[in-house]
PDB file of all heavy atoms in Angstrom:
ATOM      1  N   ALA T  24      -0.090  -5.895   8.445  1.00 96.00           N
ATOM      2  CA  ALA T  24       0.931  -5.237   7.619  1.00 96.00           C
ATOM      3  C   ALA T  24       0.417  -3.883   7.134  1.00 96.00           C
ATOM      4  O   ALA T  24       1.156  -2.887   7.147  1.00 96.00           O
ATOM      5  CB  ALA T  24       1.308  -6.123   6.440  1.00 96.00           C
ATOM      6  N   GLU T  25      -0.850  -3.823   6.725  1.00 97.00           N
ATOM      7  CA  GLU T  25      -1.430  -2.547   6.292  1.00 97.00           C
ATOM      8  C   GLU T  25      -1.546  -1.576   7.458  1.00 97.00           C
ATOM      9  O   GLU T  25      -1.264  -0.380   7.317  1.00 97.00           O
ATOM     10  CB  GLU T  25      -2.789  -2.790   5.647  1.00 97.00           C
ATOM     11  CG  GLU T  25      -2.688  -3.512   4.315  1.00 97.00           C
ATOM     12  CD  GLU T  25      -4.023  -4.000   3.788  1.00 97.00           C
ATOM     13  OE1 GLU T  25      -4.904  -4.380   4.603  1.00 97.00           O
ATOM     14  OE2 GLU T  25      -4.179  -4.019   2.563  1.00 97.00           O
ATOM     15  N   VAL T  26      -1.949  -2.084   8.619  1.00 97.00           N
ATOM     16  CA  VAL T  26      -2.051  -1.242   9.811  1.00 97.00           C
ATOM     17  C   VAL T  26      -0.684  -0.670  10.171  1.00 97.00           C
ATOM     18  O   VAL T  26      -0.549   0.530  10.438  1.00 97.00           O
ATOM     19  CB  VAL T  26      -2.641  -2.034  11.006  1.00 97.00           C
ATOM     20  CG1 VAL T  26      -2.494  -1.258  12.307  1.00 97.00           C
ATOM     21  CG2 VAL T  26      -4.098  -2.376  10.742  1.00 97.00           C
ATOM     22  N   SER T  27       0.337  -1.510  10.152  1.00 97.00           N
ATOM     23  CA  SER T  27       1.675  -1.029  10.508  1.00 97.00           C
ATOM     24  C   SER T  27       2.165   0.007   9.505  1.00 97.00           C
ATOM     25  O   SER T  27       2.818   0.977   9.881  1.00 97.00           O
ATOM     26  CB  SER T  27       2.669  -2.187  10.633  1.00 97.00           C
ATOM     27  OG  SER T  27       2.892  -2.805   9.391  1.00 97.00           O
ATOM     28  N   GLU T  28       1.813  -0.168   8.236  1.00 97.00           N
ATOM     29  CA  GLU T  28       2.209   0.816   7.222  1.00 97.00           C
ATOM     30  C   GLU T  28       1.461   2.133   7.407  1.00 97.00           C
ATOM     31  O   GLU T  28       2.057   3.205   7.339  1.00 97.00           O
ATOM     32  CB  GLU T  28       1.952   0.256   5.823  1.00 97.00           C
ATOM     33  CG  GLU T  28       2.507   1.145   4.733  1.00 97.00           C
ATOM     34  CD  GLU T  28       2.393   0.522   3.359  1.00 97.00           C
ATOM     35  OE1 GLU T  28       2.346  -0.717   3.258  1.00 97.00           O
ATOM     36  OE2 GLU T  28       2.358   1.292   2.385  1.00 97.00           O
ATOM     37  N   ILE T  29       0.175   2.056   7.660  1.00 96.00           N
ATOM     38  CA  ILE T  29      -0.630   3.267   7.856  1.00 96.00           C
ATOM     39  C   ILE T  29      -0.139   4.050   9.069  1.00 96.00           C
ATOM     40  O   ILE T  29      -0.020   5.274   9.026  1.00 96.00           O
ATOM     41  CB  ILE T  29      -2.125   2.912   7.983  1.00 96.00           C
ATOM     42  CG1 ILE T  29      -2.658   2.427   6.639  1.00 96.00           C
ATOM     43  CG2 ILE T  29      -2.936   4.106   8.492  1.00 96.00           C
ATOM     44  CD1 ILE T  29      -4.035   1.788   6.705  1.00 96.00           C
ATOM     45  N   LEU T  30       0.143   3.341  10.170  1.00 97.00           N
ATOM     46  CA  LEU T  30       0.602   3.999  11.393  1.00 97.00           C
ATOM     47  C   LEU T  30       2.099   4.299  11.375  1.00 97.00           C
ATOM     48  O   LEU T  30       2.596   4.965  12.283  1.00 97.00           O
ATOM     49  CB  LEU T  30       0.269   3.139  12.614  1.00 97.00           C
ATOM     50  CG  LEU T  30      -1.218   2.947  12.923  1.00 97.00           C
ATOM     51  CD1 LEU T  30      -1.387   2.020  14.120  1.00 97.00           C
ATOM     52  CD2 LEU T  30      -1.900   4.284  13.171  1.00 97.00           C
ATOM     53  N   ASN T  31       2.796   3.759  10.369  1.00 97.00           N
ATOM     54  CA  ASN T  31       4.238   3.920  10.254  1.00 97.00           C
ATOM     55  C   ASN T  31       4.948   3.382  11.496  1.00 97.00           C
ATOM     56  O   ASN T  31       5.780   4.055  12.112  1.00 97.00           O
ATOM     57  CB  ASN T  31       4.617   5.378   9.989  1.00 97.00           C
ATOM     58  CG  ASN T  31       6.034   5.521   9.490  1.00 97.00           C
ATOM     59  OD1 ASN T  31       6.589   4.606   8.892  1.00 97.00           O
ATOM     60  ND2 ASN T  31       6.635   6.672   9.744  1.00 97.00           N
TER      61      ASN T  31
END
Side-chain angles (χ1 to χ4, degrees):
E25 291 169 326
V26 169
S27 66
E28 188 174 335
I29 290 168
L30 294 177
N31 196 26

